[in-house]
Every structure is written in C-alpha cells, then in structure tokens.
Amino acid sequence: QVQLVESGGGLVQPGGSLRLSCAASGFTFSAYSMSWVRQAPGEGLEWISTITTAGSTSYADSVKGRFTISRDNVKNTLYLQMDSLKSEDTALYYCTKGWRNINPGGQGTQVTVSS
C-alpha cells in the first residue's frame, strides 16, 4: 500500500532554514506528481508546492521564492527546502501523492518557527 513518511521538521528561528524529506513506497514514485501541503494550528490544509514527473514546479504565493521542492526518483524521496522561514510557516507539513492533492497520506512533520 502507499506509504509516505515525512521527516526533517523541528524548531527553527525566524530567518532560518529546514529541509523536509518524504520517503515514498508502495507505488511507482517516478510516475506521479508529488506535492507538499501544510496545516497551521487551528487552520485548514493549505497546498504549498507541487513537482510533476517532468520536474516542473509550482508554489503557493505564500512560499514562492523561499521554498524549493525537488525529488529523487532513485531514492523515491521528495524534498522541500525551506529558507527564510517566518513564524507563519509554523505548521504540520505533509507530502501527498498527486498534482496539488491536499489529502495527507502520512503523519506529517512539525515545523515550528519561533525565537
């Protein structure tokens, strides 16, 4: 079955960086677009980025220019490089299978941006 395991979250100061990873299994990773979504405390799920099978990327305006999505089809792993982090980036981050899919399949990884 499809398994998505997110990691790399943590506590970081404003302006700092984190790199999230998502290990995928149970499906042909290279054949699917993959996305990142997040859920801030008390808020709904927010799509933030997608990478297609061809490597084309798209970003929500809230993270454009600060976050970079990438993938390694050999390692079956999705990444999210997050730079210039802000307090409003504090959320539980999930990877999802598909183009702009906002339905999480894993447990997520917590990112907290605070001084």
Side-chain angles (χ1 to χ4, degrees):
Q1 69 279 20
V2 172
Q3 280 199 317
L4 299 169
V5 180
E6 301 92 345
S7 63
L11 174 63
V12 63
Q13 292 187 342
S17 297
L18 281 174
R19 188 194 196 200
L20 306 184
S21 299
C22 170
S25 61
F27 65 102
T28 304
F29 179 76
S30 61
Y32 289 87
S33 294
M34 295 293 295
S35 301
W36 287 98
V37 302
R38 67 185 181 185
Q39 187 166 28
E43 303 289 332
L45 287 161
E46 175 191 16
W47 169 82
I48 55 174
S49 187
T50 292
I51 185 166
T52 68
T53 57
S56 296
T57 59
S58 54
Y59 299 92
D61 287 345
S62 58
V63 305
K64 196 174 295 182
R66 299 187 298 120
F67 290 11
T68 304
I69 191 172
S70 62
R71 65 191 299 162
D72 185 331
N73 290 336
V74 174
K75 296 181 178 180
N76 290 347
T77 302
L78 180 71
Y79 301 101
L80 186 69
Q81 177 67 40
M82 306 187 297
D83 299 316
S84 303
L85 283 160
K86 305 176 181 180
S87 58
E88 51 262 46
D89 295 318
T90 294
L92 191 57
Y93 284 71
Y94 302 91
C95 64
T96 67
K97 173 176 170 273
W99 189 82
R100 299 200 181 192
N101 178 13
I102 63 166
N103 296 304
Q107 298 301 306
T109 186
Q110 178 68 39
V111 172
T112 303
V113 184
S114 175
S115 55

